[in-house]
Structure formats: C-alpha cells, structure tokens
Amino acid sequence: MIDESVVAVSGQREFMVVAHTGRAVVTRTVESIARHCAAAGVGLRIIDHDLTADNPATQDDVDLRGRDDREGHDDPANRDHGPTRPPSHPLDIDGLRELGADVTVATGDPESAVGCEVVIVLGGDGTFLRAAELAYPAGVPVLGINLGHIGFLAEAEANRIDDVMAQLISRDYRVEPRMTLDISISHPTKPDEVRRSWALNEVAILNRTNNGVLELVTEVDGRPVSAFGADGVLVSTPTGSTAYAFSAGGPVMWPDLEAILIVPSNAHALFARPMVTSPRSRIAVEIDKHGRSAIALCDGRREIFVPAGGRVEVVRSDRSVLWVRIDSDPFADRLVTKFDLPVTGWRGRQGEGK
C-alpha cells in the first residue's frame, strides 16, 4: 500500500519505478527519470525495498533448486542460502526530491501499483518479473528498461532512457496484453485445500532434490499424453518460451501467439518432446503417489509444495499482463540481437521496387 505520509496529489499522473539496485547504473538512470518527471509534473512512486540494501532484486539470479527433502517445508529458514548476495546501490529518495521529483514510497504488496499510469522496470528479466507481480493485480502496464545481460522482456536499453521518458510523458506509446497462466495445485488427501498462483513466463514442476527423477504424467484436456521420469516439466506461455522453456529445449514462440507450451526437462523417456497446445487447453501434471514430491515454481519466484500424488492444473488466465510498447524492433531482430544469432549472408527479398 502507499505510505499515507507521502501520498501524491490526487489526480496527478504518476509512474512507478522498480529497480535492480545491485547495479550502479541504476542510480544514474533513476536520476534521469526523476528529472523528466519533475519537468513534466509527473509523480514518481518507488518501492521501499529499493531504498535499502536488502533488495529482493539482488537475488534475482539465485538458484532456487537447492532444497532439503523435508515434506512440506516452505520456511525460508530451511532453504539453502545460495550464492553470496551481490553489492547493492539503494535509491536515494532525498536526492531524487532534490532534483524536483514528487516522490512517494509504496510497500511491495499487491496494491502498491494501484493508481499508477505505468510501471518502469530497471534491470533484467528477474526484475521485470518482480515488477509484474505488482503491476498484474493492479492492471497497470509494464515497461522494461534493460540493465541486465539478455533482458528479453525489456522494451528498450538503458542508453535510450531520455527518448523513452519523452515518449511516456507525451503518451506516445501503446499497450498490448500478454497472456498469463492460472495454476492450481491439489493435495491427494486434502481435496478441499487447493493452492493457486499465476505465471507470466512459466510454471516449472520440479524435483525437490538433486537425487533421482520425478515420476509424473502429463495430461491435456482430460486425457493422458505421456508418463515419464524427469527433472521436471515446464508449462509456458509464448512470452516464457525464450526463458526457462528455451533452456530446456523448447521452441521459440512469437509473443503475439496464443498457445500453451509443455516442455519436459531432462526426461528419461522415448516420447517426451515439447508440445504446443491450444490456449483453451487444460494442462495437468500428476506426480506419482509412490514417488518423490515436487515444487511448482511460478516465474522462478513463487514456490508451492506439491506432494507425491499431487496434481498441478494449468489454464490460460482471464487476466493479462499489460505490456508497454514503444517503437521497438521486430521480434525476429530481438532474437538475433539477444542471442547473437549468425545472419551473415542474408540478402532479403530481391527485386522489390523494380
């Protein structure tokens, strides 16, 4: 929720900034945003996490696979600590106000983006997914500015921040929906206890340990498709096809497609190929009741325990993540740039204009 002591003037345009404060360039970029907002009379809303060294964005790249094997554990104290926390460069709220920006502070709860015109993300894909958690329930569009490595979810690079801010302030942008997934997880002995979440990229149903394989059955529209042992299986949107699903061997899907992608991860089976289903399909993954338990990891951020015998159901959500589009490159160009694909020798269509 918004800190009532610093609420912006009612009716004022306001942009939210969610930043990866583990990178020093963020400070300069936020200062540039603050100057543009101050000059245009646009309010600036930031998250309290970004004002401290204990920023969740600095853990975006932590491997979440390391787990002990105690059934049902989801206490953070039981988790492996992972790699050393990278350095942090928290935002300086007083410095931003000295630049003339009307800055308010919000806590990172589901209502923190309510009333904002747009959420600006400074960082890589992990930071974008953190910002999407705030924008999604509020129905606020998200704009990614890449300060990471690949930054496939970003719409622009940091060196274009002045042009991007000019377009935002003049409302020279468009908004398009990106499909998301609704996830429900049921317990074999507690049918009334259904846990729910959502995903923009994917839900990964994974073995909770590094020992053995996870025995599971995939189902599409109420019919079994394949049973196999694997490290896990991913159910992805087209947006997520260039993320975890891509690393697991899935196909690249253009983001304006409407489909659901199923990708086994390191499967021990003759038929365990990626499948592209209808966006209207109901996908289910059942965990062998005599085997290991699992976790359902939504966008690499929200973890839900799945017991042996549990069932994960995935359908297209009625709600989309709203995506800010500016004059960005075609998706094919983004693929070539982000993955450094070889295109030497391309000539294009011949004879046009003759």
Side-chain angles (χ1 to χ4, degrees):
M1 65 178 59
I2 305 302
D3 184 342
E4 296 296 339
S5 65
V6 287
V7 173
V9 177
S10 178
Q12 180 185 24
R13 295 178 68 191
E14 192 170 13
F15 298 159
M16 172 180 278
V17 171
V18 177
H20 189 310
T21 56
R23 295 186 171 97
V25 66
V26 169
T27 300
R28 299 190 297 273
T29 307
V30 174
E31 288 175 353
S32 180
I33 291 173
R35 291 189 183 94
H36 281 280
C37 287
V42 176
L44 187 62
R45 190 182 302 183
I46 58 180
I47 304 299
D48 56 1
H49 284 309
D50 296 345
L51 300 174
T52 70
D54 187 24
N55 187 331
T58 62
Q59 291 295 297
D60 284 340
D61 299 325
V62 169
D63 181 6
L64 295 176
R65 293 294 304 281
R67 295 289 185 269
D68 67 34
D69 198 33
R70 285 170 288 172
E71 178 169 333
H73 90 98
D74 48 18
D75 183 350
N78 292 334
R79 301 177 181 176
D80 291 347
H81 293 295
T84 303
R85 184 183 295 272
S88 182
H89 303 269
L91 303 183
D92 178 6
I93 188 171
D94 293 329
L96 297 177
R97 286 171 174 162
E98 288 175 1
L99 295 174
D102 182 3
V103 183
T104 64
V105 179
T107 57
D109 63 29
E111 298 180 355
S112 59
V114 172
C116 287
E117 180 177 327
V118 66
V119 175
I120 304 171
V121 186
L122 304 178
D125 288 347
T127 310
F128 189 99
L129 293 170
R130 178 167 69 97
E133 290 182 332
L134 307 179
Y136 177 76
V140 176
V142 188
L143 170 66
I145 306 296
N146 183 35
L147 299 177
H149 300 292
I150 295 179
F152 218 100
L153 299 177
E155 186 70 11
E157 302 298 318
N159 58 9
R160 291 195 56 209
I161 190 62
D162 290 332
D163 293 337
V164 169
M165 289 305 300
Q167 288 183 260
L168 287 180
I169 288 170
S170 63
R171 293 190 171 94
D172 181 20
Y173 63 89
R174 65 189 187 279
V175 176
E176 67 180 30
R178 290 285 183 93
M179 71 173 282
T180 62
L181 302 173
D182 281 338
I183 298 108
S184 60
I185 298 168
S186 57
H187 195 289
T189 62
K190 303 173 183 177
D192 295 333
E193 295 184 11
V194 178
R195 302 188 66 180
R196 303 183 187 278
S197 190
W198 68 281
L200 169 62
N201 270 357
E202 79 285 307
V203 55
I205 298 97
L206 302 172
N207 188 354
R208 295 177 61 243
T209 74
N210 293 322
N211 299 320
V213 295
L214 184 66
E215 299 291 341
L216 47 83
V217 180
T218 56
E219 172 192 304
V220 179
D221 295 329
R223 304 306 302 163
V225 174
S226 185
F228 50 83
D231 286 351
V233 64
L234 317 176
V235 184
S236 167
T237 66
T239 298
S241 70
T242 51
Y244 197 165
F246 177 83
S247 298
V252 171
M253 301 170 67
W254 261 237
D256 56 349
L257 285 173
E258 295 189 349
I260 299 176
L261 175 61
I262 306 170
V263 183
S265 177
N266 294 326
H268 297 255
L270 182 62
F271 181 77
R273 297 289 186 260
M275 296 183 291
V276 179
T277 73
S278 164
R280 296 176 296 279
S281 291
R282 177 176 292 272
I283 312 301
V285 178
E286 293 185 348
I287 310 302
D288 183 4
K289 65 180 180 180
H290 302 298
R292 291 172 170 81
S293 58
I295 59 169
L297 193 58
C298 303
D299 287 337
R301 298 187 54 80
R302 298 173 297 280
E303 176 184 325
I304 304 176
F305 172 71
V306 186
R311 178 180 172 91
V312 182
E313 292 193 357
V314 184
V315 296
R316 177 183 179 171
S317 175
D318 292 334
R319 177 183 292 181
S320 301
V321 166
L322 301 179
W323 211 273
V324 173
R325 300 301 310 275
I326 53 180
D327 297 327
S328 56
D329 295 331
F331 185 71
D333 289 353
R334 291 169 63 82
L335 279 176
V336 170
T337 300
K338 298 294 185 180
F339 293 140
D340 195 22
L341 302 179
V343 293
T344 302
W346 178 73
R347 298 177 62 192
R349 297 179 62 181
Q350 304 299 305
E352 291 186 351
K354 295 183 179 180

